[in-house]
Amino acid sequence: MSARAPLLVVGDALLDHDLCGRAERLAPDAPVPVVSDARRVSRPGGAALAALLAADGGRPVTLVAALGGDEASATLERLLAGRVRLVRLPLAGALPSKTRVFAEGTPLLRLDDGEGRAGEATDEARRAVAEAGAILVADYGRGTASALREPLRSAAARVPVVWDPHPRGEPPVPGVRLVTPSASEAQAFAARPASADESAAGSGRPQAAALPAAGDDPGRGRELRAAVRDADVLLRAWRAVSVAVTLGGRGALLSHGGTPLLVPAPVTAGGDACGAGDRFAATAAGLLADGELTETAVREAVHDATRYVAQGGVRSLAGTTATTVPAVEAAPPDAGDALRTAARVRAAGGTVVAAGGCFDLLHAGHVALLQAARRAGDCLVVCVNSDASVRRRKGGGRPLVPVADRVRVLRALECVDAVAVFEEDTPERLLGELRPDVWAKGGDYALERLPEASLVESWGGQVVLLPYLDGRSTTGLAERAALSPHRPRGFRGRRRG
């Protein structure tokens, strides 16, 4: 798998805290719950969270953000150290922070502190924008994007720029590749009077009175129709190449003008949605940096945001503080996401399941095996042979499908939580890093002692065999595909392939 392209994140950094405790009684002086035994967890927020999420999996990320000399700024800088390169702007005032209070998982209250705003852009920040190959603007309305507006305007004319807007911020600069408002943000933006930039462009933007509110449009599709309408308005007003309106659990709507593309969420995920918009924007920006099409980037962003919420959102992030989640040992970039996924699940007390193979020409037998493996625990990591490994095992004509495509197909399966590639003939090195609780193989290995069994058992893991659909194999598919139309088609392939 090729190395991931660097990404520059420009935006307003925040410091977030969660206070999680128990509420078993009301206060004697007011009808409010008393939260006891509270545990405090701190983590990067705002653009700093977007940068951290973009760096997940080994992508080089630089964050341009305003920090000051206050304690919150110092804490945030420590949390980002070694994970994200930081380019500082001056901060006037204290770094903004927010504290959420939970009682046994139920949110009770949010406290906001700090009204600091970014000062003037520095030469280092301007150079970072000018030299960037791709940019994510995570605007939280605190002035960083405004301070760098002219360099960002120039950058949008030459490199992919994703702009995640904020109701208190300025509109995106013209020419950005993708803008990612939520449905409520898109509706609010579309109802605003045109800015000076938009008026000068002659966008022909409708005024608020011309836009029926979502509540005035009856039927199940009113939210979707409102998103289509708002996206069309914002495309013209902002002179953006495309707008993706995020629809929460329903997915996202991508519009280039004309007929839009609806990208549904793969599953319905209930959980803490804080940071899901940052996860969406970070994934989309990273994939555009890698040269993917916008449609592909949005589809993968919906998938990643859904998985992020299902896994617990920001509270599942490894390394939010020095003591909350154990650190993951360094690993090759291809294994980074898999190791972090395993660490999150293990830290929450869950069971990590791993399965492996070539998965060349994915077929029903593979899918049945992976679905069964996922049901054995709380996450499934698939270990995949590299192209060179497949050639050594299967011969010069294999693989039929290159590893990048095999990984993409596997990641698209709902039952697969992460994929890692290994170069060796067997996955022992990768398993030693993942240390799964369960190592699952197809039932056609029943008469063999798996070479990796002793390794898995050495840390208390369990090797299990799972039923395998008879007659399904990559070899069989390839041989049937090679038959001429006049040859018999009754071939039943070997089980394994």
Side-chain angles (χ1 to χ4, degrees), residues 266-486:
V267 295
T268 300
D272 185 0
C274 178
D278 296 302
R279 173 73 277 178
F280 179 92
T283 295
L287 288 171
L288 290 178
D290 292 339
E292 295 286 357
L293 296 174
T294 304
E295 290 81 358
T296 301
V298 170
R299 184 171 61 248
E300 291 297 321
V302 168
H303 189 276
D304 278 3
T306 302
R307 179 174 293 168
Y308 169 87
V309 174
Q311 291 178 342
V314 287
R315 284 181 284 177
S316 70
L317 293 178
T320 52
T321 68
T323 58
T324 304
V325 179
V328 178
E329 293 184 2
D334 289 343
D337 180 55
L339 293 176
R340 273 178 273 274
T341 297
R344 286 194 295 265
V345 172
R346 189 174 291 113
T351 298
V352 177
V353 182
C358 301
F359 299 102
D360 199 7
L361 287 184
L362 192 74
H363 54 69
H366 292 140
V367 174
L369 171 68
L370 296 175
Q371 288 173 329
R374 180 61 176 82
R375 289 193 292 270
D378 299 293
C379 79
L380 173 62
V381 177
V382 181
C383 305
V384 180
N385 297 74
S386 70
D387 289 346
S389 177
V390 175
R391 280 192 294 272
R392 290 193 299 269
R393 292 191 58 202
K394 303 288 186 179
R398 300 281 293 274
L400 301 170
V401 179
V403 69
D405 289 352
R406 288 186 279 133
V407 168
R408 177 171 292 182
V409 171
L410 286 166
R411 290 185 63 194
L413 296 178
E414 180 182 338
C415 58
V416 174
D417 295 282
V419 180
V421 178
F422 61 94
E423 296 289 340
E424 302 82 4
D425 292 345
T426 57
E428 278 95 336
R429 178 195 57 79
L430 180 56
L431 287 175
E433 295 172 345
L434 285 170
R435 298 175 70 87
D437 303 293
V438 178
W439 173 241
K441 296 295 288 185
D444 52 345
Y445 285 90
L447 300 180
E448 303 176 21
R449 172 68 175 174
L450 296 176
E452 58 269 23
S454 297
L455 176 65
V456 174
E457 292 165 359
S458 70
W459 58 74
Q462 178 65 55
V463 177
V464 298
L465 298 175
L466 297 172
Y468 202 95
L469 294 180
D470 189 24
R472 278 78 169 182
S473 76
T474 298
T475 303
L477 286 173
E479 292 183 1
R480 284 198 296 274
L483 292 174
S484 72
H486 304 293

Side-chain angles (χ1 to χ4, degrees), residues 84 178 314:
V84 171
L178 178 67
V314 287

Side-chain angles (χ1 to χ4, degrees), residues 137 141 154 170 222 264 434:
V137 178
S154 299
E170 295 184 6
R222 67 170 180 263
L434 285 170

